[in-house]
Amino acid sequence: MPWLKLLHIAALVIWCGALLYLPALLLHSLQLRKDAGFAQGTPPMPRFFYNSIATPAALVAIASGTLLFLLHGLLGGWLILKLGAVLLMVAAHGCFGWLILRLEMGIFKGVKAASLCALILALMGMFGVLGFVLSKPLEWS
Ligand code: HEM
């Protein structure tokens, strides 16, 4: 089922791109909010991008990866290590969602620092996943 792996790779490329774009989007919206003050609400783009692109891509990447593993029985130490790295990406994803909510509530304190920390977490996850899935250490089969 090469189409399943193709779907997996397409979804993960969009998810990785989204995790790299979200901090830039958050910092830009933070600046707009600060400049405009309370006269204007938060730009709708961060929530739209998060709900309509980043989260669906994450769900499709995880679902298609799980299907790949279940249908082909591709179990190995590499997959467990990989899932650990995927958890870092999921944590970063969740953190960006939390920061969008804070921005919408007008709480600016710590948004910049937390966005950069979440970006570093996402990068560690991405490089970890790619390292483990492409080198497949601890392969059992
Ligand atoms: C719960 C989440 C995930 C699961 C269960 C999962 C599982 C899998 C499985 C079983 C394969 C097939 C491996 C093979 O054919 O040898 C695969 C391929 C791949 N996965 Fe994932 N994956 C997940 C998330 C991700 C994420 C988030 C990324 C990237 C950031 C990623 C990157 C890749 C790549 C690049 C391949 C192709 C590797 C190859 O062809 O050898 N996966 N994944």
Side-chain angles (χ1 to χ4, degrees), residues 54-72:
T55 304
L59 294 174
V60 173
I62 292 170
S64 57
T66 308
L67 267 181
L68 271 171
F69 146 60
L70 292 175
L71 293 176
H72 300 290

Side-chain angles (χ1 to χ4, degrees), residues 5 8-9 11-13 15-16 19 57-75 78-79 82-83 85-87 89-90 122 125-130 132-136 139:
K5 192 183 261 189
H8 184 57
I9 292 174
L12 72 92
V13 167
W15 189 23
C16 291
L19 289 177
L59 294 174
V60 173
I62 292 170
S64 57
T66 308
L67 267 181
L68 271 171
F69 146 60
L70 292 175
L71 293 176
H72 300 290
L74 290 160
L75 190 56
W78 66 271
L79 187 60
K82 179 182 174 179
L83 294 180
V86 171
L87 273 182
M89 293 175 68
V90 171
M126 286 182 224
F127 287 122
V129 166
L130 294 173
F132 293 136
V133 78
L134 296 174
S135 66
K136 290 197 174 57
E139 190 154 18

Side-chain angles (χ1 to χ4, degrees), residues 44-113:
M45 188 54 173
R47 174 181 282 267
F48 169 78
F49 183 80
Y50 188 83
N51 290 341
S52 310
I53 296 169
T55 304
L59 294 174
V60 173
I62 292 170
S64 57
T66 308
L67 267 181
L68 271 171
F69 146 60
L70 292 175
L71 293 176
H72 300 290
L74 290 160
L75 190 56
W78 66 271
L79 187 60
I80 293 162
L81 293 172
K82 179 182 174 179
L83 294 180
V86 171
L87 273 182
L88 295 182
M89 293 175 68
V90 171
H93 190 100
C95 186
F96 288 130
W98 173 67
L99 291 170
I100 291 169
L101 289 178
R102 279 176 71 88
L103 205 57
E104 290 175 347
M105 293 191 285
I107 307 169
F108 305 150
K109 194 165 178 289
V111 169
K112 192 170 183 176

